[in-house]
């Protein structure tokens, strides 16, 4: 991710609907008779769920259970899966999956040129899309097909729009009727507030799915069967006590100060390394928000390793993290 400063981009925190260009994201297509079977054996989420009009977040892991990538996927047709990920990760994902797909009746292709990706955030975002499409979402992670495009409800205040090329101009105009344009930073900020962390080039093979709380956001299915890394991921779930999780924090951001990049170190007051930053975004009022992975018992005195004068303050997540002493 490129460095941002508070003077570069500011996120709007009003309740108005925001329309955000997600040109930092792209789409891979997985097509063929074995598309579902193939991806089922590679990722943490249950691809069989996609037969219903739902999408799933998930991860691809190494045999040691470390995350190679993160994504959101839906089944657009019986033999076609569309996988959305950060543009900087697409080539690596295609290469990683390509090692195994040669044994399947399926093929991978970069479909980014066929879609324009937008995000809508703010109170009533899902209802706004329902009005435009004339359809109703069945809940979070559900998607609607409108013409040749897809709308995905992440929650009531966040909707992803995968606009097919032939629809993009008209739908972008429609979506812009009651929205205000906002920078990509605003989408990152909304994602942070939703407590959803992703993998970037700087953090490949750094995190386990559980350390990014994927078990709490429906991005791991522990009953789906085998996939690469499944044994380690399942062992962490059934036989281990998780002592590190991802938390949301805020910190002061002086003028001209570059946001820390994914993978930046988090330390305690003595400079001892505790964990890593997942992602950060600019907020208003000279502050930033971030997701960090740190020990559950060391949440009070957190600092940026490269700027130990800047202390991190914990904020709430929209879900509860089960701790060792919880019953």
């Amino acid at each position: 991710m490129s460095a941002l400063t508070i003077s570069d981009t500011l996120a709007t925190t009003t309740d108005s609907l925001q329309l955000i260009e997600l040109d930092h994201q792209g789409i891979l297509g997985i097509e063929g008779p074995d598309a579902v079977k193939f991806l089922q054996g590679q990722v943490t989420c249950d691809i069989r769920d996609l037969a219903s009009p739902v999408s799933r977040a998930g991860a691809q892991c190494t045999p040691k259970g470390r995350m190679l990538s993160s994504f959101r996927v839906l089944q657009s047709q019986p033999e076609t899966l569309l996988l959305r990920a950060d543009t900087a990760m697409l080539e690596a994902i295609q290469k990683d999956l390509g090692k195994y797909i040669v044994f399947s009746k399926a093929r991978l292709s970069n479909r980014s040129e066929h879609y324009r990706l937008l995000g809508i955030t703010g109170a009533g975002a899902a209802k706004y899309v329902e009005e435009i499409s004339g359809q109703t979402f069945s809940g979070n992670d559900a998607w609607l097909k409108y013409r040749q495009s897809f709308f995905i409800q992440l929650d009531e205040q966040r909707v992803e729009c995968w606009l097919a090329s032939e629809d993009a101009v008209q739908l972008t105009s429609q979506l812009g009727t009651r929205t205000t344009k906002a920078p990509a930073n605003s989408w990152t900020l909304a994602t942070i507030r939703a407590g959803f962390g992703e993998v970037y080039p700087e953090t490949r093979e750094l995190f386990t799915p559980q350390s990014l709380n994927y078990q709490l956001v429906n991005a791991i299915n522990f009953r789906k069967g085998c996939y690469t890394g499944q044994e380690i991921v399942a062992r962490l779930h059934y036989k281990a006590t998780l002592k590190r999780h991802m938390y949301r924090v805020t910190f002061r951001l002086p003028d001209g100060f570059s946001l820390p990049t994914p993978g930046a170190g988090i330390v305690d007051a003595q400079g001892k390394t505790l964990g890593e930053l997942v992602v950060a975004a600019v907020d208003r009022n000279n502050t930033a928000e971030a997701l960090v992975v740190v020990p559950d018992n060391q949440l009070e005195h957190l600092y940026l390793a490269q700027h130990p004068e800047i202390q991190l303050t914990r904020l709430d997540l929209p879900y509860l993290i089960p701790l060792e002493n919880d019953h």
Side-chain angles (χ1 to χ4, degrees), residues 9-61:
T9 178
L10 289 172
T12 304
T13 56
T14 65
D15 291 332
S16 62
L17 290 173
Q18 298 179 327
L19 184 65
I20 303 164
E21 196 85 43
L22 303 182
D23 52 9
H24 62 288
Q25 297 182 348
I27 289 182
L28 285 180
I30 306 171
E31 301 170 84
D34 291 344
V36 171
K37 179 181 178 182
F38 162 71
L39 198 61
Q40 177 75 351
Q42 299 299 322
V43 300
T44 59
C45 55
D46 196 333
I47 301 301
R48 295 169 300 185
D49 290 348
L50 306 183
S52 302
V54 299
S55 68
R56 284 286 180 262
Q60 184 190 13
C61 298

Side-chain angles (χ1 to χ4, degrees), residues 74-327:
L74 62 78
Q75 187 172 1
S76 62
Q77 298 178 28
E79 296 185 358
T80 302
L81 301 172
L82 298 178
L83 185 151
R84 189 272 301 145
D86 191 273
T87 302
M89 296 294 298
L90 285 182
E91 184 176 349
I93 294 172
Q94 191 165 1
K95 183 178 179 180
D96 292 335
L97 292 177
K99 296 176 183 177
Y100 304 99
I101 204 168
V102 293
F103 305 108
S104 301
K105 294 178 181 178
R107 62 188 181 277
L108 290 165
S109 61
N110 191 326
R111 302 292 302 277
S112 300
E113 292 184 359
H114 299 281
Y115 291 91
R116 182 180 188 182
L117 304 186
L118 303 174
I120 300 177
T121 66
K127 289 188 178 298
Y128 179 53
V129 170
E130 289 177 340
E131 290 177 20
I132 289 176
S133 68
Q135 303 173 64
T136 303
F137 287 112
S138 61
N140 292 346
D141 292 331
W143 56 266
L144 305 175
K145 185 175 183 181
Y146 183 58
R147 300 174 185 169
Q148 299 303 311
S149 302
F150 300 93
F151 297 113
I152 305 168
Q153 177 180 312
L154 306 184
D155 54 53
E156 293 182 353
Q157 298 193 30
R158 292 184 304 139
V159 176
E160 287 191 22
C161 310
W162 302 1
L163 306 185
S165 297
E166 56 266 41
D167 302 334
V169 173
Q170 184 173 354
L171 286 181
T172 300
S173 177
Q174 284 184 267
L175 292 169
T177 303
R178 295 192 346 236
T179 58
T180 301
K181 289 184 179 180
N185 177 81
S186 295
W187 185 258
T188 304
L189 183 62
T191 304
I192 288 170
R193 290 174 174 175
F196 187 78
E198 298 195 67
V199 175
Y200 298 95
E202 302 92 334
T203 54
R204 273 173 59 88
E205 300 189 45
L206 181 60
F207 302 119
T208 65
Q210 281 98 329
S211 65
L212 293 194
N213 302 342
Y214 271 33
Q215 72 280 18
L216 305 178
V217 294
N218 203 25
I220 308 175
N221 187 306
F222 293 103
R223 300 180 301 278
K224 62 167 284 185
C226 294
Y227 57 89
T228 304
Q230 182 266 343
E231 183 178 353
I232 302 300
V233 174
R235 186 183 303 160
L236 288 173
H237 178 67
Y238 291 110
K239 297 184 178 181
T241 299
L242 298 176
K243 297 182 179 181
R244 292 165 57 86
H245 288 89
M246 185 177 69
Y247 292 89
R248 176 176 161 235
V249 298
T250 184
F251 55 93
R252 177 178 54 84
L253 190 64
D255 287 341
F257 178 86
S258 295
L259 278 174
T261 56
I266 306 299
V267 299
D268 64 13
Q270 287 72 48
K272 177 183 176 182
T273 299
L274 297 177
E276 302 82 22
L277 182 136
V278 179
V279 67
V282 179
D283 192 3
R284 295 196 307 179
N285 304 319
N286 281 36
T287 61
E289 291 189 19
L291 296 172
V292 298
V293 174
V294 292
D296 298 327
N297 62 353
Q298 293 181 281
L299 303 176
E300 297 302 320
H301 301 286
L302 302 175
Y303 302 83
L304 296 176
Q306 295 181 332
H307 298 275
E309 73 281 7
I310 297 180
Q311 185 172 5
L312 312 181
T313 301
R314 182 182 170 190
L315 297 174
D316 289 338
L317 287 166
Y319 50 79
L320 295 177
I321 294 177
L323 302 179
E324 184 177 1
N325 295 326
D326 289 348
H327 297 287

